[in-house]
Amino acid sequence: MIRAEGLSKVYMSGGQPLRVLDRVDLHVEAESFVAVVGPSGSGKTTLLGLLAGLDEPTEGTVTVAGENLQTLTEDGRARFRAENVGFVFQTFHLLPTLTALENVMVPMELRDRASQENGRTIREKARALLERVGLEDRAAHYPAQLSGGEQQRVALARAFANEPRILFADEPTGNLDRKTGHRVVELMEELNQELKTTLVLVTHDLDLAAHAHRTISLEDGRIVSDETNRGGSEREAAK
Amino acid sequence: MIRGFAARLAWREGRAAYRRLSVFVSSIALGVGSLVAIHSFRADVQRSLGDQARALLGADVRVSSNRAFPEAFDAVLDSMAAQERDVARTTTLASMVLDTRSQGVRLFQIQGVDAGYPYYGEVTSTPTGAWTVIHDGPSAVADPAVFIQLDAAVGDTLLIGEVRFVLRGEVIGLPTELGFQSAIGPRLYISRAQLPATGLLTFGSIARYHANFRMPERQDRDEFWDRNHELLEANQLRFTTAGVRAQEMSAAVEDVSRYLGLMGLAALFLGGIGVASAIHVYIREKVITVAVLRCLGALQRTLFTAYLLQAAGLALIGSVLGVGLGMLVQRGLPFVLSGLLPAGVTTQVSWVALGAGILLGVWVAVMFALGPLLEVRGVSPLIALRHDFEPPKRIDALRIGAFILLALTLVGLTVLEAPSATQGIGFAIVLAGVALSLWATARLLILATKRFFPHRMSYPVRQGVSNLFRPRNQTVSVTLALGFGAFVIGTVGLVEASLTQAFTLEAGAGRWNLLLFDVQPDQRATVEDFVGSRASGPLAVTPLVPSRLSAINGTPVETLLELPQGERPSSWAMRREYRHTYRAEISGSEVMVAGVWWDGSTGEGSDEGFGDPVAGVARISMETDLAESLRVGLGDHVTWDFAGVPVESRITSLRTVDWARFETNFYVIFEPGTLEEAPQTAVILARVEGERERAELQRDLVVRFANVSVLDLSLLQQTIDEILQRANQGIRFLGVFSTVAGVLVLIGALSTSRYQRMRESALLKTLGARRRVVLEILTVEYALLGSLATAAGLVLAIFAGWMMTSMVFEVPFRLDLARLGTVWLWVTAVTVVVGLIGSWGVISRPPLAVLRDVGG
């Protein structure tokens, strides 16, 4: 599903080049759940940004669902994301001026094929997704009126709105208490299994990473280990 | 569908944006308001003038002259009257009027009118119908100002010349008069039949003669012109139709309103800067939202369209509010400018002005917003993951295009609004120059504070000063906003000060304060004795000899007038009536620039030979501008007609004259011994101390010498001041728009860096800074920014003020430092207050709350 080859990223910092990612090769299978772990500054977020086509690598290529992202324009990559990718962020990033329901509707409205769906269908789908994350009664609330956990659940509903083939999650529980975080991860896994989405999770929480099928460790921009978790999410599901 | 999404996003986001973008909406509302007010007002005046063209002349056709009509034209008028055509004559002259009851005495305009005049428009008077009773024997009606100045009442007896008139009523509205005319020279109206008996129409008295015709049919007017135009031209009689008169007045109003329009445009452009800074702040606050939407797959152009739609929507709201405001002001302007406008200006909704206001508001707002809106396209989706990510800066062709479009808009609108394309381009260049100079000043300020950093000052001062040059400082935006505001206020103030000074008669201690004119030769000695005995110093007596030009270097004026324009002297200079004098000395308001004065003194060059007398030819000194208009120079011969007697003269010197100085100034001065025998009158300048003494002198004079007129210059000064004040009121009224727009821009500029400021101040407080220290830092920063930016704006205002006074108004420039100082203090104080109010959250709230709010 995702293939990165010789991926490097260099930023200029104080006039000096800073190599944040150094010749990373990576392959993520379809429908798998991969956790990327590492200390602060190890290049996790940069890797996630490159895999999602949010930035361009200094060297190397990224192919997602058979599409070489480097051959696409910036808007081309945006279109690609609208069709294939979902996001969950550490700070939720709900649009503050939109209600919970409207936030979930946004990805569906952004898709080119949205023209074939009418507003009512989109609204009903969004409502169903909110129901799925247990927030049907909060549909008309604005993000500021929701708790952190509720906001992240709305963000999850938004992420799955287009039934994306890949979901990128950047420290999705980083701003939540343990219990709420746990509930959010469970939800994420359930949706992943239901919709057969490939899940790429960036975290420095090893407990959270243990839910994944596979854990990739980064240090100083290089992959230092790539391990398959025995049991992984099945182990969690069996509990 | 993507476009549909943009519209939906614009609407959903916009619901919450109106409050935050109130600066945007108010900026545009103010700009549009001032423009709509001025345009609607202009339309009102033009429409009223068009509707009332005939009423303004009181007739369809008027023939005027500075001298009594020649017999040939009298014959035409008589024959027309015999055919029962509607012809009414009016004669206007100045005379002293004494109220025998109140003993008030004053110089007024006396208008003798024939029955039936005016043919159009209604004269309103109290008591009703008083206008018509002036034809019943020696009766008069008068403007309200006459009643006030003479302390008169209906029924009083007035002495005008040698006739006693009964004051029968007050004329409230005579459609033929402009408001300000009655303020400058209040009028009394009597029957024209009574004029000869007053004895006022003596030789040399300044009177104007009119014949007014009712000729509603164009054919009649054309026929009259065809039949008489040769007679009219030969006798230099002026022919005017109602339409032409209305057009002339309309053109004058148009010019004034276009200058006001430029002020309105300045307010709109200031509003535009407010819009740009408001959008800039808004987009900066929306960066995360934009980045998240980019992550979710939104295209650059979709997001750009969404925010563009929002800006256009808000601009529409602002423009509609502005139109409302403009309509309110439109109703207020006639009151503010009352006395300067033709009577009967009615306000009416001008749909064209309203529509244009809305279109202009939206267009200007969008043009100013375009630059900051294009920033949306540069927002990287990566910011959703890394807040501090800043994509490398690239040259953006679209932003350059937006800037060019904005510049074209500004220049285009200015050219459209200005009285002429040249002035429009000049105005645009000045605006651009000001903006550029302010920008350069800001950059210089940043460099200077870095270079000369006050290392030894206290911590708050150092921190406050360093705020001027550190990253994301607000120095450039605030300097532009404040500097521009100060520039507009300063320029208006300096022009006003210069105009006020220019129109201040030099009536101070030691100067003349009474002007006596129409003194006949046989009265001269007696009047001189009479006035001299009460005056506090010597009198200045100047003879006035009326004449016309008859030939230049032997070629008759009639022949010269037939030459094509451009190849002949100016027809105005050849046709006008002159009043010459003769004297031995050059006066204080004159400077010889060429030739030789009678006493042998020379001008700048070596002009010997020009001063030598030639038998039978009088030597004259001519004013340089007139010499230029007549295309003559030293040594040229000019022949004058003095009441039918030709006198040949030779130009032996050229002078410049300071016309603004209150002296008796002349275009042409004759050598003494040449004009003494010609028919003439005299003007006497005197200084008489005490208001009461002057009033008594005038009263005694009018009883003894009915035809002599006296002008009390201190009273004239009051009238001029009053008129200037009214004109200034109008300008200030519009200036308020620019000022409020300037404050809005300031608020916008300050809020640009508000979040950064809040975060930093909260961090300082976290690190232990007391509230007082934070307050001091902010005060230092705003005081520095405010005072320096204002000073820069005011320095530019001095240049602009000087240019305006010397090039547009042609009066000496007055550098009113006290006024500039007041503006400087005020704007600086407002900056500090607005800055501190804007940062109050930082000072008063606990640091943690601030950091949580602004994402610390």
Side-chain angles (χ1 to χ4, degrees), chain A residues 11 45-46 54-55 74-75 78-79 81-82 87 89 93 95 97-98 102 105-106 109-110 142 158 170, chain B residues 2 5 8 12-13 15-16 286 288-289 292-300 381-382 384-387:
Chain A
Y11 288 114
T45 305
T46 304
L54 303 183
D55 200 3
E74 213 171 319
D75 273 345
R79 259 193 209 102
R81 285 195 294 274
F87 274 99
F89 304 96
H93 282 336
L95 305 186
T97 49
L98 271 56
E102 287 167 346
M105 287 162 68
V106 165
E109 291 174 320
L110 273 172
Y142 286 94
R158 181 178 71 181
D170 179 29
Chain B
I2 293 293
F5 174 75
R8 270 199 301 279
R12 288 173 189 159
E13 283 253 286
R15 289 177 307 204
K286 289 287 171 196
I288 299 284
T289 299
V292 169
L293 284 165
R294 296 279 291 130
C295 283
L296 299 181
L299 304 183
Q300 285 178 337
L382 208 55
L385 297 180
R386 307 166 67 101
H387 292 195

